[in-house]
Amino acid sequence: MTVGTPKYRELGLTDSEYELIVEKLGREPNDVELAMFSLLWSEHCAYKHSRKLLRRLPTEGERVVMGPGENAGAVDVGNGYAVAFKVESHNHPSAVEPFQGAATGVGGIMRDVFAIGARPIAILDSLRFGELDSVRSRHLLDGAVRGIGHYGNSIGVATVGGEIYFEEPYEHNCLVNAMCIGFAKTADMVRAAAAGVGNSIVLMGASTGRDGIGGASVLASAELGEGDEAKRPTVQIGDPFEESKLLECCLELLEKGLLVSLQDLGAAGLTSSAGEMASAGGVGIDIDVARVPLREADMEPFEIMVSESQERMLAVVEPGRVEEVRAICGKWQTGSAEIGAVTEGGRIRILRDGEVVGEMPVGALVDGCPLYDLDPVEPEGWIYGNRETLAAGAAPERELLSLLSSPNIASKRWAFEQYDSIVGSRTVRRPEQADAAVLQLPEAGNAIAVSIDGNGRRVACDPYEGTIEAVLECAQNLACVGAEPLGLTNCLNFGNPEKPAGAWQLDRAVSGLADACNALGVPVVGGNVSLYNEGPDGPIYPTPVVAMVGELPDPEQVAGNAFVREGDAIGLVGPFEPSLAGSELAKQRGELKMGLPRPDVASVAAACELVRTAVRAGKLASVHDVSDGGLAVAVAESAIAGGIGCETNVEHLRERGAQPEEALFGEGPGGFLVSGDRATLEELGAVLIGTVGGEQIAIGAGDRSLSISLTTARDAWQSLPRQAAGVG
Amino acid sequence: MIWGVLQFPGSCDERDALNACELHGDGARLVWHESRELDGVDGVVVPGGFSYGDYLRAGAIARFSPAMEAVAEAAAGGMPVLGICNGFQVLCEAGLLPGALLRNVELRFRCHQVELIEEGSGERLSIPAKHGEGRYYAPEEMLDRLEANGQVAYRYADGHNSNGSVRDIAGVTNERGNVLGLMPHPEHAVDPLTGSTDGLRVFDRLARVAA
């Protein structure tokens, strides 16, 4: 290593990090050790630029069963049952190869959930692409949607919800965040810590190949740029059939009490699984790579240790039970091999046929990476572009139709019909029937609701307030189906944290997340961080994707978001104060700039409580959160969903300082559009804004009053298939 | 009536089918794909999913399983057999039902509520469908024969044939009428909370054959 760049730099380590490794080992690392350190010390595995910030998040709560640090977080849902959940990014692989990137994102997050002994019962996904007039974005959208469907449908786990946004800054760096929900008997859940010196380490599932080598360091921890095609071999290939067998096998093994602990193999493969298991258990681990079943016989020890071949799990098993474990693996036609043992002394040793080829202290490998402080500097102004697609002063009807056909707002039916949303017989509300997915849990005697959200554009306008809004949006979505939040997880998708503006966005967003969770009393039970999301044109919008799980006692009472009955009153509940700042309309007019109004979190929380109680009591015919596109869009959506028009007037919002245009299309948290019996709405303190009925969507707003037919509105709202095909 | 539900590696809807069978009959149990014994059940469901990954051709491998040999024998003896989605594909591959299932005309997996018309009674059923390879196909002469024999059990209602099935056919039976396959999922339509209970009528139809 005398000419050119030192190998450690190519593997993503800095000079000082390398020096620290040498110091901890007392010598230069060999190739096996260097490969292992470079992966576990990558941003993706070590969270070295985010870990300090994440300490701000509240993680404690009465209902928390498992918190951060486990494969997935979990909350108690009563009757001895728990719900596990986690969201994780697979952004860079998806930008290189969207089908496999998204598919393996789904496969990976499911393994995290069944690794703790929970059966996956639902998937949600949060996707971001560039604008749909770009061929590349349409290709990525199509591939990612097919990939999610391919994996989830084939394995038999329902995809029950999600969100998709299209914004220019994601053009080169799309986001694919997948969430999995699992359900378990709390007593049967298992942690990932290795225990019991002398116990066997058993590798289960697929054989190990060269796919995904270096994925963690090369792909996940560097900006995307020219020559990404050459990175294709580092994208993993998914096999849902293999995972389906592995899933059933693992759950049977856990049910029979045959495993001491279990861990999935994700980024950094065996290195990270073995390292994390040893670290959590305060023990050492020996692994003999000669005993790992391989796809290619000539693989080097370092390749075996860092391979990211999918559909593999690592288990700790008492020596006397290995044969029983292997017999059950045989029943499920899934591979198994005893590849090592738990040892004393806190060292991880890699052997080949008994000969040591690498040895390092577990502590240095797993927890030794330096954690960095950020150097945040607030940018001077709006650092992203503006593109006008709708002239200011257009007729209000034209504005509404332009918003309804925006792919951010338009119906996502084209995408979600490609997913099996019903397998498992738990789906009480299918996508777009209500603001949150609702899953019944007959075993626990209740139901859960799940929402995932994160409007990156608004976070770009104000990372602190925008992140608070993302949390509030989830809480409001849960309230719409009568659910009370139990816990939250998140995936922080940001640009380069080593750049001052990127650092500032991340720092402010994490503070917003912490403050919102504290104010609502919702614990953060887990999370994932994806940094360096940048393309040649700059960083993505800062995108904290927030996912919240809540509980509701009776799924029979869940109202939908569709207007139901002619003559029902329509009302607005909550401290909604609309503003065009950061709105979809401001985007279309090319008027985006920094700044969002400050929401009153306490009064939004009170409105959530009010709505939740009313829904649980079965008092409302429909409930819909006022979100993208403002009140006019919410009204149109409820009308389209119900196939019935309405006569409304939003001029009351003038009292809250809103101009007619803001009353129609202004955005902000805290608004619920409800319909039902007039007296009930009055009792609820709703501002009455109209009546359900007719074939027109009519909204009075002073000199911006509008009226369009239901059919015209529906055509605009259902235009996504044409746009995704590039013909509309 | 006691139902048995086959379970292959890669089955997805076997628990849903088990649940539906329990609701419908007097009990239900899973039958492992390697079992040659049907263990005294009165009827069999071959459930949906992706048996053995369906990497060769949907249902092409599952038909060779020991459990399917047992099902073929039992079907020949008149036992009611219901193939749902992948189960329909398996029964076609096994030659227990006529025709074949091809990729959807739009070449995409699609999950949505569809309306079916039961041939003969004209009853309308609302049941979810979810598949990527559900386009029923058979040669013209065979279709004429199926229609003449009353072997077409269900057709998609107008506007609901999204997979491009020939003559809107959603489900067919064997000549004897004791083996029924359909692409939509009656086991997902047994609870008002999750959408509809119309699926129970499909189970009823087979139970009448058994009686």
Side-chain angles (χ1 to χ4, degrees):
Chain A
M1 227 188 305
T2 48
V3 285
T5 319
K7 203 183 282 180
Y8 66 81
R9 270 198 224 153
E10 284 185 14
L11 290 170
L13 292 168
T14 66
D15 293 355
S16 66
E17 286 167 350
Y18 183 74
E19 281 162 26
L20 192 60
I21 292 168
V22 172
E23 188 190 310
K24 285 179 185 280
L25 287 180
R27 59 179 166 80
E28 302 262 337
N30 65 26
D31 280 358
V32 176
E33 294 155 350
L34 183 61
M36 291 172 68
F37 269 104
S38 74
L39 285 173
L40 285 201
W41 284 30
S42 68
E43 185 64 47
H44 192 70
C45 293
Y47 290 73
K48 54 194 175 188
H49 286 94
S50 63
R51 188 163 298 216
K52 288 187 171 187
L53 297 182
L54 299 176
R55 291 177 186 149
R56 296 175 191 164
L57 303 176
T59 59
E60 314 254 311
E62 272 173 38
R63 305 287 289 271
V64 177
V65 175
M66 279 191 190
E70 295 295 338
N71 279 312
V75 293
D76 176 28
V77 289
N79 211 18
Y81 287 91
V83 163
F85 54 101
K86 188 174 186 187
V87 57
E88 213 163 65
S89 68
H90 229 214
N91 302 337
H92 287 171
S94 302
V96 177
E97 212 299 284
F99 180 91
Q100 289 296 342
T104 54
V106 171
I109 196 66
M110 277 199 272
R111 284 194 300 282
D112 276 317
V113 164
F114 69 78
I116 63 170
R119 173 177 286 279
I121 58 168
I123 296 163
L124 292 91
D125 46 78
S126 179
L127 311 177
R128 303 287 182 280
F129 304 98
E131 298 289 351
L132 270 181
D133 54 12
S134 131
V135 176
R136 175 183 161 81
S137 292
R138 295 198 297 272
H139 160 72
L140 291 175
L141 169 70
D142 186 57
V145 168
R146 282 178 190 273
I148 290 165
H150 165 68
Y151 212 102
N153 298 344
S154 306
I155 203 168
V157 177
T159 301
V160 298
E163 39 144 31
I164 316 179
Y165 282 97
F166 303 88
E167 304 280 357
E168 189 80 40
Y170 303 112
E171 171 75 18
H172 291 281
N173 195 131
C174 64
L175 301 184
V176 173
N177 289 188
M179 176 185 194
C180 181
I181 318 268
F183 185 58
K185 273 190 190 149
T186 311
D188 291 351
M189 292 172 71
V190 62
R191 293 182 189 268
V197 170
N199 280 344
S200 297
I201 305 285
V202 177
L203 178 63
M204 301 184 291
S207 54
T208 298
R210 286 202 167 93
D211 48 333
I213 286 183
S217 62
V218 179
L219 273 182
S221 303
E223 292 173 19
L224 290 172
E226 298 297 317
D228 285 336
E229 297 302 306
K231 290 175 182 167
R232 188 159 286 157
T234 60
V235 175
Q236 312 87 329
I237 307 297
D239 178 352
F241 176 53
E242 193 68 43
E243 179 135 317
S244 160
K245 294 184 297 176
L246 183 61
L247 157 66
E248 297 299 340
C249 177
C250 287
L251 292 178
E252 184 172 339
L253 290 168
L254 288 168
E255 196 188 315
K256 295 198 160 132
L258 290 170
L259 306 182
V260 175
S261 63
L262 184 63
Q263 168 88 357
D264 75 299
L265 275 77
L270 265 176
T271 295
S272 114
S273 301
E276 285 171 16
M277 280 182 115
S279 169
V283 292
I285 280 181
D286 277 2
I287 284 178
D288 193 330
V289 294
R291 289 151 79 175
V292 174
L294 301 178
R295 288 177 203 169
E296 294 166 82
D298 61 342
M299 286 175 70
E300 293 296 322
F302 89 87
E303 291 178 304
I304 298 168
M305 285 310 297
V306 305
S307 161
E308 294 187 355
S309 289
Q310 297 291 291
E311 292 93 23
R312 298 180 299 159
M313 301 289 281
L314 198 63
V316 175
V317 181
E318 289 170 13
R321 312 198 84 169
V322 171
E323 282 317 305
E324 247 179 296
V325 167
R326 298 202 56 200
I328 288 171
C329 291
K331 172 190 160 185
W332 287 103
Q333 303 177 353
T334 190
S336 63
E338 190 180 354
I339 63 164
V342 177
T343 60
E344 258 177 306
R347 297 183 75 78
I348 183 160
R349 294 200 308 165
I350 311 307
L351 303 99
R352 177 156 63 177
D353 280 325
E355 179 202 343
V356 176
V357 295
E359 178 171 359
M360 60 225 99
V362 171
L365 183 66
V366 180
D367 303 310
C369 179
L371 302 182
Y372 299 113
D373 288 308
L374 301 186
D375 203 1
V377 180
E378 182 174 354
E380 302 264 320
W382 183 246
I383 59 171
Y384 301 94
N386 257 310
R387 184 166 72 152
E388 183 193 295
T389 54
L390 178 71
E397 284 86 357
R398 170 121 198 278
E399 290 180 324
L400 177 57
L401 290 174
S402 176
L403 291 173
L404 287 174
S405 62
S406 154
N408 291 341
I409 291 173
S411 167
K412 308 298 185 294
R413 180 169 294 273
W414 171 85
F416 71 72
E417 281 195 344
Q418 297 185 50
Y419 311 141
D420 181 346
S421 57
I422 59 175
V423 64
S425 303
R426 295 186 184 278
T427 313
V428 175
R429 286 293 176 274
R430 299 183 197 174
E432 283 183 1
Q433 290 182 337
D435 284 15
V438 180
L439 300 158
Q440 60 173 341
L441 307 174
E443 303 89 336
N446 55 6
I448 53 164
V450 193
S451 172
I452 188 164
D453 206 83
N455 184 333
R457 178 181 357 104
R458 295 184 73 80
V459 179
C461 290
D462 185 331
Y464 177 79
E465 305 293 355
T467 305
I468 290 177
E469 283 190 8
V471 177
L472 294 178
E473 170 86 24
C474 279
Q476 286 190 234
N477 288 338
L478 294 195
C480 285
V481 296
E484 178 160 22
L486 293 176
L488 175 151
T489 189
N490 64 92
C491 184
L492 302 175
N493 305 273
F494 283 76
N496 186 343
E498 297 171 61
K499 294 179 181 170
W504 178 77
Q505 290 175 332
L506 181 60
D507 179 82
R508 295 297 294 155
V510 173
S511 286
L513 182 60
D515 289 353
C517 289
N518 277 319
L520 294 177
V522 180
V524 178
V525 300
N528 177 241
V529 181
S530 170
L531 304 178
Y532 301 94
N533 290 292
E534 308 216 350
D537 303 330
I540 60 163
Y541 279 150
T543 312
V545 168
V546 175
M548 206 182 270
V549 172
E551 177 196 30
L552 59 151
D554 181 5
E556 302 266 358
Q557 294 296 355
V558 176
N561 54 21
F563 289 151
V564 179
R565 283 182 304 259
E566 187 115 8
D568 268 351
I570 301 171
L572 176 68
V573 176
F576 177 57
E577 290 184 8
S579 149
L580 290 183
S583 66
E584 185 70 31
L585 187 65
K587 171 196 170 175
Q588 295 197 359
R589 287 176 172 174
E591 291 172 353
L592 293 171
K593 56 181 194 288
M594 294 301 282
L596 288 179
R598 166 152 296 200
D600 178 352
V601 179
S603 54
V604 176
C608 286
E609 169 76 43
L610 192 70
V611 169
R612 179 165 64 235
T613 310
V615 170
R616 287 181 175 193
K619 287 184 174 173
L620 300 172
S622 76
V623 200
H624 189 24
D625 161 54
V626 180
S627 178
D628 304 331
L631 190 52
V633 164
V635 166
E637 285 174 341
S638 286
I640 294 167
I644 182 164
C646 60
E647 179 84 42
T648 59
N649 192 305
V650 297
E651 286 190 61
H652 303 75
L653 285 167
R654 280 191 186 212
E655 288 166 23
R656 302 185 191 178
Q659 294 303 306
E661 193 137 65
E662 291 169 320
L664 287 171
F665 307 120
E667 300 177 16
F672 293 92
L673 181 75
V674 301
S675 73
D677 178 63
R678 181 169 300 268
T680 307
L681 262 48
E682 278 170 353
E683 202 180 299
L684 205 62
V687 176
L688 294 180
I689 63 165
T691 312
V692 175
E695 294 292 316
Q696 289 287 116
I697 297 170
I699 309 177
D703 59 355
R704 305 295 289 167
S705 295
L706 65 89
S707 178
I708 57 173
S709 77
L710 203 51
T711 323
T712 311
R714 188 188 295 120
D715 285 349
W717 190 65
Q718 292 179 342
S719 62
L720 188 63
R722 297 194 297 276
Q723 298 185 57
V727 293
Chain B
M1 178 170 184
I2 307 284
W3 288 93
V5 178
L6 299 199
Q7 185 178 25
F8 302 101
S11 290
C12 295
D13 303 277
E14 76 277 18
R15 281 180 197 78
D16 308 276
L18 195 68
N19 170 51
C21 288
E22 279 167 358
L23 271 173
H24 175 266
D26 306 309
R29 60 180 74 118
L30 288 174
V31 177
W32 186 241
H33 65 115
E34 287 174 324
S35 165
R36 210 173 279 274
E37 299 299 319
L38 295 177
D39 211 11
V41 301
D42 307 309
V44 170
V45 175
V46 189
F50 294 76
S51 51
Y52 302 95
D54 274 351
Y55 288 134
L56 175 59
R57 194 173 61 241
I61 295 179
R63 63 163 289 204
F64 292 109
S65 66
M68 274 307 295
E69 284 178 27
V71 168
E73 274 172 34
M79 182 185 278
V81 176
L82 172 60
I84 303 169
C85 195
N86 190 228
F88 186 14
Q89 295 160 342
V90 173
L91 293 175
C92 288
E93 287 286 338
L96 294 179
L97 287 175
L101 284 313
L102 308 178
R103 288 195 72 190
N104 294 356
V105 68
E106 285 177 0
L107 303 181
R108 282 183 197 276
F109 181 100
R110 190 160 177 213
C111 171
H112 63 145
Q113 198 76 11
V114 296
E115 305 229 325
L116 303 181
I117 311 281
E118 187 178 37
E119 200 77 349
S121 74
E123 270 193 89
R124 212 174 165 95
L125 284 72
S126 173
I127 291 182
K130 51 185 185 94
H131 52 253
E133 294 181 36
R135 175 158 54 104
Y136 186 74
Y137 174 79
E140 287 295 316
E141 329 58 349
M142 187 188 273
L143 292 169
D144 291 342
R145 204 166 62 240
L146 294 179
E147 287 182 344
N149 290 349
Q151 287 178 250
V152 174
Y154 299 101
R155 292 186 208 258
Y156 297 103
D158 270 355
H160 290 264
N161 178 7
S162 61
N163 58 31
S165 288
V166 60
R167 301 191 191 178
D168 295 331
I169 292 173
V172 297
T173 70
N174 62 352
E175 272 187 54
R176 191 167 171 174
N178 65 312
V179 180
L180 165 65
L182 78 170
M183 285 314 294
H185 286 258
E187 82 283 22
H188 284 291
V190 298
D191 177 1
L193 199 52
T194 54
S196 101
T197 57
D198 291 354
L200 288 170
R201 287 194 259 160
V202 176
F203 289 87
D204 283 342
R205 177 190 172 111
L206 274 172
R208 284 198 296 274
V209 176

